[in-house]
Amino acid sequence: MQQNNGLDKKQLISFGIFSMILIGFMFYFQNRNAQAEQEKLALEAKKTEQTTKSKPAATNLNAATVTPNSVQKVNLQNDELSLEFSSVGGQLSSVKLNKFEAFGGKPLYLFNNNNASYGFQFTDKSGKVFNTKDLVFAPQVAGNVVTLNTKIGNAVIQFIYTLKAKYTVDFQVKTQGLGSVVNDGKANFVWNYNVRGAEKGRSQEETHTEFAYAFNNYKDYDYDARSDMDEPDETLNWIGIKQQFFSAVIEAKNGFTKSKGFQEAIPEGEYLKKFNYDGQVNLAGNELNQDFTWYFMPLDIELLKSYDKNFDEILPLGWSFIGSLNRYVFIPLYNLISGWGIAAGWAIFWMTIIVKLILSPVMFKQHKLSAMMKVIRPEIDEVNAKFKDADPMKKQQETMAVYRKAGVNQMAGCLPALVQIPLFYALFRFFPNMLDLRGKSFWFVPDLTAYDDIISWGTNIPLLGNHLSVFALACTVVILIYTIMTSGNIQQPQQEGMPNMKVLMYIFPITFLFFLNSSASGLSWYYFVSNAINIVIILVIKYFILDEKKIHAQIQENKKKEPKKEGTFQKRMREMMEKAQEQQKLQEQARNKKK
């Protein structure tokens, strides 16, 4: 028979460890249950506190606990806007522009899916901060008016929205008994907005997404595209956040003061930028009874002007003369041509032709000068060879003498370039901001305000992206051909270390490709047509207008004659060179004396 000797040492150790684990679990679950019970009691106490009326200012500030049952949605709609209002915060929770679509045929929403929230922020008598966007309102609809009411303590807050024509929503705020809750005489309007992309070109649209605001009784306008906004001293009449073609704006009849804002780009995804705005509104007798207006507008210049609130400045057509060119030349010209009923791309084509005709005297003079300089190139080379070892000033004087005898004014070639600089910048502003071009197709281009990507690939190449614009490529090729045709008259630098100007001119069209590749295809198309016309003009001048042999013979004949009287500019240039040459000799003499 086997004898039972009791528990051995290993069994005692195992039993002890098991007992400790068991006791640990008992204490853990006991503490967890106790904690859960405490949380339950705290929650019940909180609910009790919320329903107690002994401390209305403190208890009812937290009364707006949002539950699924507390969220109600009501709607208004007209031909232009479809609006949804939420009982949570009494806010516009959805704003859809009915006459437009986002890229890809999607509905165009400015507000939707909680990408925007706004409300009035107060400080109660106990120092606590609360915002109307966290309160629950009771909505009512009557015709084109939505009224939302809420109570906080003994105060009643009422928001009244009225949907009107021209993308306008009147927004009245009324309070009664607010003085029982607050006593500092002010409130802050706080607006948070994640702007959703609506266009094809993300980088281009992000560049045009920014703060916009007016002040000084609507007379002055400013914008901020990259940095924090800070206007502590101005009273803003309206504050808006614009995109490439659309804008959400809120106007305060009594103005916003102490305004500040923050913006941050969102690298990828559905949204482009994150905006936060905070502006103060003053209370009258500790009551907020003020009128505001929301505008959810397409950036059409005639529509913007019709409001008479300086909204047309939102459209970034350029400052001063640049903006005037767009407002009074290019936009009316495009509208006139497109009114003929032709496709947008052909309207741009004919607009280019008309602009070229207007500039034809200046452009003809430039191309004629270019052709003449090519003809006298042998004479310039002869001077360079003859005065190869001479003083640079002397060589320059002889070179200018050749130009003078040939009747070539070098400075005349600068005028067309100066004329084209503002035109280029104006068109750079025109094409990506012209609403009438948005979504207009031409040949293989679905949207003339965005790049074409018929040639595309999956990976992202630095500077180029994931596509190659055909219009940008065609424009680059034409500019390169034009450069080759005009580079023959460029004088190469004689001094060591100076850059080769021909090489730089060939590099320019290539770098231009990277710029145009992500820009509006309408801009590339315009410059393709423009430079193609330049090539035609050069060929016409060369083969039908200028006789190179005759010009060359005239130069040889002029050499035998007395030099023509210098022009004012040429005389000044010669005097400056002589002075510089004299100063250089004096400096060399001083250095020789020191030696």
Side-chain angles (χ1 to χ4, degrees), residues 30-87:
Q30 183 178 358
N31 290 336
R32 188 172 179 181
N33 291 335
Q35 185 180 356
E37 187 66 25
Q38 289 177 358
E39 291 177 355
K40 183 178 180 181
L41 292 172
L43 183 60
E44 291 178 354
K46 186 177 181 180
K47 290 180 179 179
T48 303
E49 181 182 358
Q50 289 173 353
T51 55
T52 304
K53 296 183 179 180
S54 58
K55 297 180 180 179
T59 57
N60 285 281
L61 294 185
N62 299 317
T65 302
V66 179
T67 65
N69 293 330
S70 66
V71 179
Q72 299 181 57
K73 301 290 179 68
V74 294
N75 298 278
L76 291 179
Q77 181 175 337
N78 61 11
D79 292 340
E80 298 158 334
L81 296 174
S82 292
L83 308 176
E84 180 185 81
F85 302 85
S86 174
S87 60

Side-chain angles (χ1 to χ4, degrees), residues 251-307:
E251 175 192 15
K253 298 302 187 293
N254 295 334
F256 297 113
T257 59
K258 302 186 186 308
S259 294
K260 56 185 178 180
F262 169 79
Q263 57 186 305
E264 179 183 5
I266 301 173
E268 57 184 15
E270 182 182 3
Y271 300 103
L272 298 172
K273 269 187 178 182
K274 178 192 301 182
F275 289 87
N276 306 104
Y277 171 75
D278 189 325
Q280 186 173 300
V281 292
N282 294 324
L283 308 183
N286 278 325
E287 298 289 351
L288 178 57
N289 292 303
Q290 292 194 28
D291 293 339
F292 303 85
T293 305
W294 279 105
Y295 301 89
F296 302 100
M297 306 174 293
L299 297 183
D300 175 81
I301 191 166
E302 295 303 324
L303 173 69
L304 298 176
K305 284 180 178 179
S306 69
Y307 295 106

Side-chain angles (χ1 to χ4, degrees), residues 189-255:
F189 176 75
V190 180
W191 180 15
N192 301 317
Y193 186 20
N194 289 350
V195 177
R196 178 182 288 105
E199 312 303 328
K200 180 180 181 179
R202 182 184 184 88
S203 61
Q204 182 173 251
E205 186 179 11
E206 182 183 308
T207 301
H208 289 87
T209 302
E210 59 196 11
F211 277 118
Y213 50 95
F215 51 95
N216 190 21
N217 195 26
Y218 302 92
K219 295 177 183 176
D220 294 323
Y221 169 84
D222 208 347
Y223 69 98
D224 200 306
R226 292 177 179 84
S227 62
D228 294 351
M229 170 199 171
D230 191 16
E231 293 288 354
D233 303 321
E234 301 290 351
T235 298
L236 305 192
N237 304 114
W238 52 260
I239 174 72
I241 297 172
K242 70 169 287 292
Q243 295 173 238
Q244 187 174 352
F245 293 107
F246 305 95
S247 184
V249 175
I250 184 166
E251 175 192 15
K253 298 302 187 293
N254 295 334

